[in-house]
Every structure is written in C-alpha cells, then in structure tokens.
Amino acid sequence: MSDHIKGAIRANRLPIWVLATIAVLAVAEPWIRQAQSSRPWRDFTGQTPFVAVTVSSSSVTPKGLQLMGDMIKRRCEYRGLAAYVVIGGTSYRAVVDTSAEEDLRPSGSRPPNRLKQPWGPWEIVWPAEKAIPERYELWAYHQCPREKTVQVNLFVEGKWEGR
C-alpha cells in the first residue's frame, strides 16, 4: 500500500469507523428490534406489564377450570385475556369468564402496585362433555405507554387439574 493511501486512511480514521459502525448497526437493526420485543428482554428491562404471577387455587368445574392467584402489576392498561386449552398436543381457543372478579372488582384495569394483587376467580370455559384438556394457557393483552401495538404476554399456564 502506498504512503499516500496509508496517510489518507490515517487522516480519515474517525469517519471510516463511524461509517463502519453505521453499516453494522443498519445490518443488525432487525435483530436488535426483534430482541427488544422479546419477552425475556421485556422482563429484564421491566417492560412486561406484570410479574410474579402465581396460581393459588385451581378447580375443575362443570363449566371448565376455575383459577385464582396473585401477581404484581407494573404498568400498562389491561385490554383483555385469551385462553387456550391443549388436547393431544393441539391448542384450542377457549372462552375466559372473568365476570366473578368483575363483580368483586368492577374497576377494570388494575393500577400499578409494588405489592402482590389478587386476580380471579377466572374460569376457562371448556364443557366436561368435550375431551378433557391436558394443559391451559392464559394470555394477557395490555396497551403500554409509548407503544403503538398491544403487548401480548403469556400470563399463566399449567396442567388442567384441581388442587
């Protein structure tokens, strides 16, 4: 390499590094965005609307599976729940009946709180005459500040059984 080229590289070292960094970030940006929207990242950075979810009771009823527990609500406005039951490895959408809790606590979205708050009773409606599920999943929808889309997170999952 000639002395002229070496001198030009030395003189422009900072702009070359800046351009190289911009190029790397431009290529990595989709992966960075995907990592930032992942549940582990949201949990680590405190962006998940709730933490420390526990199930304190579950009972199989003629209507389905009734669940109660507690959680810590950190942020965001509640927008709804979705339930799925798993039978033979296949997930099926189910109805979630939260009316019993709404009668007890009609306020809708809970305010954030550093202390555990109760949730439930919620009932995943799955009539006994249908095949008995092995597992259930409850997914929570929240609208969070400065986010355009609704955040969807697994709230709780477990075996379809009473305790």
Side-chain angles (χ1 to χ4, degrees), residues 5 14 35 39-40 55 61 63 66 77 80 84 91 101 105 108 110 124 148 157:
I5 294 174
L14 181 61
R39 176 68 184 263
V55 176
T61 70
K63 243 177 103 176
Q66 189 177 76
E77 288 292 318
Y84 293 88
S91 292
E101 180 184 43
R105 189 179 18 261
R110 292 171 176 76
I124 301 172
K148 293 178 184 173
E157 64 182 333

Side-chain angles (χ1 to χ4, degrees), residues 25-141:
L25 289 176
V27 170
E29 191 266 337
W31 291 302
I32 292 169
R33 187 179 309 140
Q34 185 176 3
Q36 288 176 334
S37 67
S38 71
R39 176 68 184 263
W41 176 260
R42 289 194 311 257
D43 286 349
F44 177 73
T45 59
Q47 296 178 58
T48 308
F50 50 83
V51 292
V53 178
T54 60
V55 176
S56 57
S57 76
S58 66
S59 58
V60 177
T61 70
K63 243 177 103 176
L65 181 69
Q66 189 177 76
L67 302 164
M68 293 178 69
D70 52 46
M71 65 161 172
I72 296 174
K73 169 80 179 281
R74 291 198 293 207
R75 59 192 297 267
C76 308
E77 288 292 318
Y78 169 76
R79 293 291 186 252
L81 291 170
Y84 293 88
V85 298
V86 179
I87 302 171
T90 303
S91 292
Y92 298 92
R93 184 82 185 251
V95 173
V96 184
D97 180 0
T98 61
S99 60
E101 180 184 43
E102 291 162 10
D103 290 342
L104 297 172
R105 189 179 18 261
S107 61
S109 187
R110 292 171 176 76
N113 195 325
R114 293 176 191 236
L115 303 174
K116 286 194 168 202
Q117 300 178 57
W119 58 266
W122 298 343
E123 188 142 18
I124 301 172
V125 179
W126 195 260
E129 61 269 9
K130 292 187 176 183
I132 297 171
E134 296 116 38
R135 302 188 55 74
Y136 68 88
E137 296 178 350
L138 282 175
W139 294 79
Y141 296 78

